[in-house]
Amino acid sequence: MHARRPDVPAVWTIRDIVTWGKEFFTSKGIDEARLTIELMVCSVLGIRRLELYTDHDRPLTKAELASLREMVQRRVKYEPLQYIIGAADFFGLSFTVNPAVLIPRPETEILVDRVLRFVNDVALPMSCLDVGTGSGIIPITVAKNASQTSWTCMDVSDGALACAHANAIKHGVADRLILVHGDFLDTVPAGGPWQVITMNPPYIAECDVAELQPEVRDFEPKEALTDNADGLSFYRRFAEVANEILAPSGTAFLEIGHGQVEKIIDILQSHRLTCEVVDDLAGIARLVIVRRT
Ligand code: SAM
Ligand code: GLN
């Protein structure tokens, strides 16, 4: 045994810091305490998770400990881990994220999976539009897995477009993405109609924002979360312009929020669009696949 006080080691190794961090985050009620400290250590040391175990006796320098201390302090004030380490995983890829963009959600992988099944049925080039592109996860993941797709990506946030651009370069698909600044609620992007349209819009009703967990409500961009109305503005707008932006044989993939499916289907069907609803593993309707009639 080491002759040292376990609570204040003279030297902090990876193992010491992971053990300490797990207990500290648990005591503060932070979810996924062990994973959180592990990803922070990986970020500061620039290593992969496996190396936490193979190099568990590696001592941390003072500078590394200072960086970690700052990260830990941010997380206990509820800042999301992904903003702190500047990265989030989505569909098996790592994306750069910052407070200008929504943190990728696992629900959105359902949308990407469906888009990939659709586009990979056809080997021909396909032009696609992503509305509200954020960090660019949807077009970049699809472009990386389906080289026949090229994308117009629209967002109202310059910060989001800069982040999407960085991610497109990181994943080697920047030559197949056109990033466009614009407000979808009053502008139709140039270059259409598109064979594929994807959209994960701000769909939380303004009246529900106060109820969100602090990590979301206090840190993610408000314009990525809510339309400042009933959460349905983007579906209404999509329905109004669908015949203009969606090719006659095209397909649109729209993510939707919990409990919104009936209202959204009403909106789409009242514009003579056909809808197929896809549930997530918990049986919650998460995606509407839309075609023109
Ligand atoms: N597509 C990303 C994803 O799935 O993680 C981000 C989705 S986030 C829910 C919605 C995005 O829509 C944000 O990036 C936000 O800036 C953008 N947005 C909000 N209002 C918009 C508008 N009027 N026109 C275009 N984009 C808008
Ligand atoms: N799905 C996100 C959430 O539940 C909201 C993002 C959105 O409005 N599309 O926090």
Side-chain angles (χ1 to χ4, degrees):
M1 288 294 288
H2 297 283
R4 67 179 191 211
R5 281 169 43 212
D7 52 337
V8 192
V11 172
W12 286 82
T13 63
I14 289 178
R15 182 175 46 201
D16 294 329
I17 204 84
V18 168
T19 304
W20 173 84
K22 176 176 175 278
E23 283 168 21
F24 182 72
F25 283 133
T26 303
S27 75
K28 297 285 180 186
I30 300 292
D31 283 349
E32 301 190 294
R34 186 182 186 96
L35 181 64
T36 299
I37 189 68
E38 285 190 355
L39 293 177
M40 285 179 176
V41 173
C42 288
S43 169
V44 167
L45 301 188
I47 61 175
R48 291 166 189 272
R49 272 182 81 202
L50 179 66
E51 292 167 72
L52 294 172
Y53 298 92
T54 56
D55 282 355
H56 59 85
D57 279 334
R58 170 174 166 181
L60 277 73
T61 66
K62 280 200 172 123
E64 288 162 351
L65 285 170
S67 300
L68 269 171
R69 192 172 305 120
E70 196 215 315
M71 288 186 166
V72 169
Q73 283 165 358
R74 287 169 66 183
R75 185 68 192 97
V76 295
K77 291 179 188 150
Y78 298 111
E79 184 168 347
L81 173 67
Q82 293 89 340
Y83 289 155
I84 297 170
I85 63 175
D89 287 337
F90 180 79
F91 215 85
L93 297 174
S94 175
F95 285 85
T96 295
V97 295
N98 63 46
V101 298
L102 186 93
I103 295 165
R105 303 290 202 266
E107 298 89 277
T108 308
E109 295 185 342
I110 298 171
L111 183 153
V112 165
D113 177 60
R114 285 300 179 125
V115 175
L116 280 173
R117 284 198 230 171
F118 176 74
V119 297
N120 280 333
D121 262 359
V122 184
L124 298 172
M126 261 197 205
S127 66
C128 315
L129 170 69
D130 183 43
V131 175
T133 210
S135 59
I137 52 165
I138 297 171
I140 292 168
T141 311
V142 176
K144 204 163 163 77
N145 289 284
S147 57
Q148 73 278 32
T149 60
S150 55
W151 290 80
T152 297
C153 311
M154 183 190 215
D155 207 291
V156 78
S157 156
D158 284 320
L161 290 170
C163 182
H165 182 59
N167 279 317
I169 290 172
K170 179 175 180 181
H171 291 296
V173 296
D175 57 335
R176 281 186 286 128
L177 262 62
I178 298 170
L179 299 166
V180 182
H181 182 268
D183 179 348
F184 180 69
L185 296 178
D186 70 19
T187 317
V188 167
W194 288 273
Q195 287 153 301
V196 171
I197 298 179
T198 54
M199 179 170 83
N200 174 19
Y203 55 59
I204 297 172
E206 188 175 31
C207 60
D208 293 335
V209 169
E211 311 296 321
L212 296 171
Q213 62 186 103
E215 279 89 343
V216 178
R217 184 193 59 216
D218 300 340
F219 291 93
E220 299 202 82
K222 195 165 182 238
E223 68 191 347
L225 297 171
T226 179
D227 61 352
N228 295 310
D230 63 356
L232 303 175
S233 309
F234 285 78
Y235 306 97
R236 284 194 199 93
R237 171 71 175 160
F238 172 82
E240 281 163 18
V241 295
N243 286 345
E244 194 180 337
I245 62 176
L246 187 62
S249 61
T251 304
F253 298 81
L254 315 182
E255 185 170 319
I256 66 171
H258 194 182
Q260 293 179 322
V261 65
E262 283 169 14
K263 286 182 182 157
I264 290 172
I265 296 287
D266 275 355
I267 292 168
L268 297 166
Q269 287 182 341
S270 73
H271 286 77
R272 304 204 315 117
L273 297 162
T274 60
C275 304
E276 175 193 342
V277 175
V278 179
D279 292 350
D280 65 15
L281 291 175
I284 298 169
R286 281 291 177 194
L287 173 67
V288 182
I289 301 178
V290 187
R291 294 188 181 86
R292 291 173 56 178
T293 43

